[in-house]
Amino acid sequence: MGKFDKYEIDLKGMRESSAKYEFMLDNAFFAAIDVPEVQKGKVNVSLSVRKTSHGFNLNFHTEGVVIVPCDRCLDDMEQPVVSDDSFRVKFGPEYSEEGEDLVIVPEDKGTLNVAWFMYEFVALAIPMKHAHAPGQCNRDMNSRLHKYLRVSEDELGMDEMGDSSDFVQEEEEVEKPVDPRWNELKKILDNN
Ligand SMILES: [Zn+2]
């Protein structure tokens, strides 16, 4: 048995006009898919297959949680994913994907493995920006990042300023001279 054998849908052998499948994509599934974007998760996929006069309609409902690194603190976070996707399948001489929603499956074989499709639906359901809820980030990493950003903005050497945390605190207390362009902008904003 190959590791993705259980995701092989036998279309040619379908006796009824429709069929339903349930898949639980777990850590083992994501490890087997072996793509760095998602390595852990627990996602349920309901697949309904409907035979039509031209071929088959496949509808996937994907719902669950994946573990991905937070944009802000890089710690693992739980990202809920929900998606509904569908495509059509027809038999033909050889395997090919025609556009977004048509897959040609070799007629002599008559089966389609949906493992990679399901992975893609999960991956596409993850928002471009994903971060912990406010206040839930790893504080250690967060403050280290802030210090790093501050210092590199100021282009100051840390060594000559002594202890870095004191330096950041002092910096926050100092009133910075106001950029005259900011005053102009503020006038505009205040008038609105
Ligand atoms: Zn975070």
Side-chain angles (χ1 to χ4, degrees):
M1 282 267 292
K3 52 188 175 179
F4 297 119
D5 282 2
K6 63 176 166 179
Y7 308 108
E8 194 86 30
I9 307 297
D10 183 4
L11 297 168
K12 206 174 177 179
M14 252 177 92
R15 298 264 174 272
E16 310 287 330
S17 60
S18 66
K20 280 199 177 292
Y21 298 84
E22 294 282 331
F23 297 110
M24 178 52 78
L25 312 183
D26 55 9
N27 292 351
F29 173 85
F30 291 107
I33 284 275
D34 197 21
V35 175
E37 278 76 15
V38 185
Q39 290 175 332
K40 286 180 182 174
K42 194 172 184 189
V43 180
N44 188 72
V45 179
S46 306
L47 163 62
S48 74
V49 182
R50 202 160 48 83
K51 217 191 274 193
T52 69
S53 50
H54 305 290
F56 304 87
N57 286 344
L58 275 64
N59 289 287
F60 297 80
H61 178 72
T62 306
E63 194 163 349
V65 171
V66 291
I67 309 295
V68 288
C70 167
D71 286 341
R72 277 199 302 263
C73 70
L74 306 179
D75 261 18
D76 281 350
M77 60 166 284
E78 292 191 353
Q79 172 64 52
V81 286
V82 183
S83 183
D84 283 287
D85 306 272
S86 60
F87 58 83
R88 294 172 297 137
V89 177
K90 286 183 183 179
F91 291 140
E94 59 187 23
Y95 183 88
S96 69
E97 292 178 20
E98 314 269 314
E100 292 264 300
D101 67 342
L102 178 60
V103 177
I104 307 293
V105 166
E107 183 150 24
D108 53 352
K109 197 172 165 231
T111 66
L112 175 68
N113 195 301
V114 293
W116 182 255
F117 290 99
M118 293 192 295
Y119 172 76
E120 283 195 319
F121 297 149
V122 170
L124 290 172
I126 301 170
M128 286 285 279
K129 285 182 185 287
H130 46 266
H132 287 110
Q136 301 298 303
C137 276
N138 178 335
R139 287 215 192 131
D140 251 26
M141 178 62 86
N142 228 351
S143 58
R144 261 183 281 160
L145 270 178
H146 279 140
K147 274 178 202 170
Y148 173 76
L149 290 174
R150 250 217 152 85
V151 170
S152 46
E153 270 171 19
D154 293 342
E155 290 178 349
L156 282 170
M158 301 270 283
D159 291 341
E160 51 197 74
M161 303 299 291
D163 184 81
S164 61
S165 59
D166 286 343
F167 163 56
V168 170
Q169 277 168 9
E170 278 167 24
E171 231 251 324
E172 276 168 349
E173 285 158 14
V174 174
E175 282 263 347
K176 280 189 177 173
V178 178
D179 184 328
R181 286 169 302 178
W182 173 243
N183 276 336
E184 288 306 309
L185 181 65
K186 200 157 176 292
K187 270 183 223 161
I188 296 168
L189 291 174
D190 286 345
N191 287 338
N192 286 325

